[in-house]
Amino acid sequence: MKVMKSIILGSAAMFVGAGAQAADLPVKAKAIEYVKICSLYGAGFYYIPGTETCIKLGGYLRVDTMLATNADFDAAVGGVAGAHNRLSNYYTARARQDLQIDTRTATEYGVVRTFAELTFTWTSGTYSGAGTSAVNGATSYTSSLGSQIATGGVGLYYAFIQFAGFTFGKAESQFRTPWAEYPANNFELPGSAGWDPVNQITYTADFGQGITASFSAQDQVQAYTTNIWNVTGATAAGLAVGAYGANDIGGTRAPDLVARVRVDQAWGLFQASVAAHDNHAAYYGASEPTGHPNDKWGWAGQLALSIKNLPTGPGDTINLTGVYTHGASSYNFHDYMSRSYAMYGGTGLPGAYQSLGIAGVSDSVFVAGAGQELTTTYGFNGGYTHNWDPYWNSSIFGAWAAVRYNNTAKGYICGAMVTTLALSSGAAGCNPDFNYAVVGTKTSWTPVKGLTFTGELAYMMLDQKHASGSTVTLPLQSGVAKPAAVYELKDQNSLVLLLRAQRNF
């Protein structure tokens, strides 16, 4: 047996030796590229193997349930949610996965940075009325954002390049504050520019000690345009939901021009922002020969203050924002909010079926043959956050905003309401101005780092300005199951509760 084993091993060695002589000399194995920590830009960065570029991956997974509304973050202000009937959702659910990709490379011109944030979202939809007669009730499924069955929706929040003080791409508007409409909350508040990033070209000058100045040309569509209403095209169906005309926005002509000065230091932050917004309408009628109104530039201004290191506790913060707009209403009523409102409630007025609060936000209004009348808005929001200990914090927050139409615009809108909806108080009792307010509170628990559970309660109020006791006669609205009837115009409100679980990584 030993002899046989020796013969086999010897033969194997002979074949290996012959193979080695026939082949080229062995090539030295390449060194293994290990992923190395990059400490230049803070925790979480690593060198991309074989490069001088550092990368950081992050994001979150979030699960929301909103009670008493059909929208995530927003109140029951319109559609089937505002109808407050059997079509209204008692709850709406959302699940979202967010992925953030941050790369940075040191160069002779400074750091070159790219940043992208992608989201994958699934949201509950709702059912709208689709009946065609008094005895033929039916509904149809309506998708919310990313609510397609099983597939959800894909979103791109950020996608920008920063180089030598310039920012190119989809980034936060230079008008908004770091907290935007969230001074101490998750619910959508008016009174400031919105969070939604926007395509832009921006230059930021850094003067040191936290003092910067930014100058930007940013896309105005869709985040920074509300409505340009051609009141000549107003219909009963549109007026009933707070649309005071046909939306008649033309193609892009000029970006919004934005300037910002910011002081960001240990004590907190101060910011002043201004923006210019071109209102470019389409045509009076369906074709070019009908003519069009001339462009009108609007503007917005904003002041903001954040105070940190409060004596009430470590990490406590107060955030405050105030804004004024003229022909640039999105800098107050941002794109995450509804821009038209139809909220139903009870009534004690004899002959009225229910009460209704209707209101609408626009950048401008016009009628055929006339120029644009710019809409004025103003408002504020604020919030205070207190940390009870490293695991629990609570906040209170609020906002108030107003929409004001000039006398000419009121004449256009009220003329349509009197004629089309049979407004009982006539032109003298008609006033499309309104106020919008929110108050609320939030409490969060973080049992372990990166995992937070939140409960948030918000109360929203719509204060319409039509004469007390005014009524309108509405047509059948099968989509929200409201009959053709007389409705009392009245202030409305909505109470919503957000429950959230979020894991950041």
Side-chain angles (χ1 to χ4, degrees):
M1 190 69 180
K2 290 183 178 180
V3 174
M4 180 63 68
K5 184 176 180 181
S6 299
I7 294 172
I8 294 173
L9 291 176
S11 301
M14 180 178 64
F15 281 116
V16 169
Q21 292 174 2
D24 295 332
L25 292 175
V27 178
K28 185 179 181 181
K30 292 183 178 180
I32 298 174
E33 293 267 9
Y34 291 99
V35 177
K36 297 183 295 182
I37 294 174
C38 174
S39 59
L40 298 175
Y41 310 110
F45 281 90
Y46 296 87
Y47 284 101
I48 298 174
T51 75
E52 296 300 316
T53 297
C54 300
I55 188 170
K56 180 180 181 180
L57 301 178
Y60 61 82
L61 195 151
R62 173 190 296 168
V63 179
D64 288 350
T65 301
M66 287 285 289
L67 277 66
T69 182
N70 289 57
D72 202 51
F73 306 139
D74 206 359
V77 297
V80 292
H84 293 125
N85 59 20
R86 293 183 66 83
L87 298 179
S88 307
N89 282 357
Y90 278 12
Y91 68 90
T92 298
R94 168 175 289 181
R96 169 174 290 165
Q97 173 66 70
D98 177 278
L99 175 62
Q100 300 165 13
I101 307 168
D102 192 346
T103 73
R104 307 189 193 189
T105 307
T107 74
E108 58 184 307
Y109 298 98
V111 175
V112 176
R113 183 191 184 199
T114 69
F115 184 83
E117 183 172 359
L118 300 88
T119 61
F120 308 87
T121 305
W122 190 93
T123 309
S124 301
T126 188
Y127 286 88
S128 300
T132 56
S133 71
V135 294
N136 183 23
T139 59
S140 62
Y141 185 77
T142 303
S143 297
S144 298
L145 173 65
S147 66
Q148 294 80 11
I149 299 295
T151 59
V154 178
L156 179 66
Y157 283 162
Y158 289 90
F160 63 81
I161 300 170
Q162 288 181 323
F163 174 68
F166 286 92
T167 298
F168 307 92
K170 196 169 189 278
E172 71 171 69
S173 169
Q174 303 306 306
F175 189 91
R176 79 165 170 90
T177 63
W179 58 88
E181 71 267 37
Y182 308 116
N185 55 286
N186 298 301
F187 189 83
E188 299 299 338
L189 301 182
S192 68
W195 175 88
D196 212 7
V198 60
N199 284 329
Q200 63 190 268
I201 299 176
T202 296
Y203 178 73
T204 299
D206 190 340
F207 301 102
Q209 297 183 332
I211 302 173
T212 59
S214 298
F215 306 91
S216 179
Q218 70 177 36
D219 186 15
Q220 60 169 240
V221 180
Q222 164 182 21
Y224 286 93
T225 299
T226 60
N227 298 292
I228 297 178
W229 277 322
N230 182 346
V231 183
T232 305
T235 64
L239 291 169
V241 297
Y244 294 142
N247 208 355
D248 205 359
I249 302 171
T252 55
R253 286 297 181 272
D256 283 9
L257 305 177
V258 178
R260 179 184 75 190
V261 175
R262 178 181 288 179
V263 180
D264 191 352
Q265 298 177 342
W267 59 265
L269 176 146
F270 170 78
Q271 178 179 310
S273 313
V274 294
H277 174 82
D278 179 37
N279 291 287
H280 178 72
Y283 297 98
Y284 292 129
S287 62
E288 296 170 354
T290 60
H292 58 82
N294 292 330
D295 286 20
K296 272 195 174 182
W297 280 82
W299 64 277
Q302 179 176 266
L303 295 176
L305 178 67
S306 179
I307 304 173
K308 303 176 183 177
N309 301 319
L310 297 171
T312 54
D316 289 8
T317 306
I318 293 175
N319 295 322
L320 301 168
T321 311
V323 65
Y324 184 95
T325 76
H326 184 63
S329 300
S330 248
Y331 290 94
N332 187 357
F333 288 81
H334 52 83
D335 67 323
Y336 277 17
M337 296 179 62
S338 298
R339 274 77 172 267
S340 58
Y341 308 95
M343 303 174 66
Y344 290 84
T347 181
L349 187 68
Y353 173 72
Q354 285 183 333
S355 65
L356 169 65
I358 53 174
V361 183
S362 67
D363 292 336
S364 71
V365 300
F366 66 90
V367 294
Q372 298 186 66
E373 302 295 329
L374 300 184
T375 306
T376 297
T377 80
Y378 44 89
F380 67 89
N381 65 45
Y384 164 65
T385 301
H386 172 63
N387 293 278
W388 302 101
D389 57 36
Y391 308 101
W392 289 89
N393 69 64
S394 297
S395 67
I396 55 174
F397 56 88
W400 179 90
V403 173
R404 299 292 183 262
Y405 293 93
N406 66 27
N407 289 334
T408 302
K410 286 179 180 177
Y412 297 158
I413 295 169
C414 290
M417 291 189 68
V418 171
T419 301
T420 310
L421 297 185
L423 180 64
S424 64
S425 57
C430 174
N431 187 349
D433 295 346
F434 72 95
N435 301 329
Y436 184 109
V438 180
V439 294
T441 183
K442 175 174 71 72
T443 294
S444 296
W445 175 48
T446 305
V448 296
K449 185 178 180 180
L451 177 64
T452 301
F453 299 92
T454 298
E456 181 172 344
L457 187 68
Y459 181 70
M460 172 266 168
M461 296 155 281
L462 179 68
D463 172 23
Q464 57 90 44
K465 299 299 182 182
H466 297 291
S468 178
S470 295
T471 64
V472 289
T473 302
L474 302 186
L476 168 67
Q477 299 175 80
S478 59
V480 294
K482 294 298 180 182
V486 173
Y487 293 82
E488 178 191 8
L489 294 180
K490 188 178 178 181
D491 299 346
Q492 303 292 334
N493 54 70
S494 177
L495 181 67
V496 295
L497 174 65
L498 167 67
L499 302 176
R500 167 176 290 177
Q502 180 165 322
R503 171 73 164 114
N504 295 332
F505 58 88

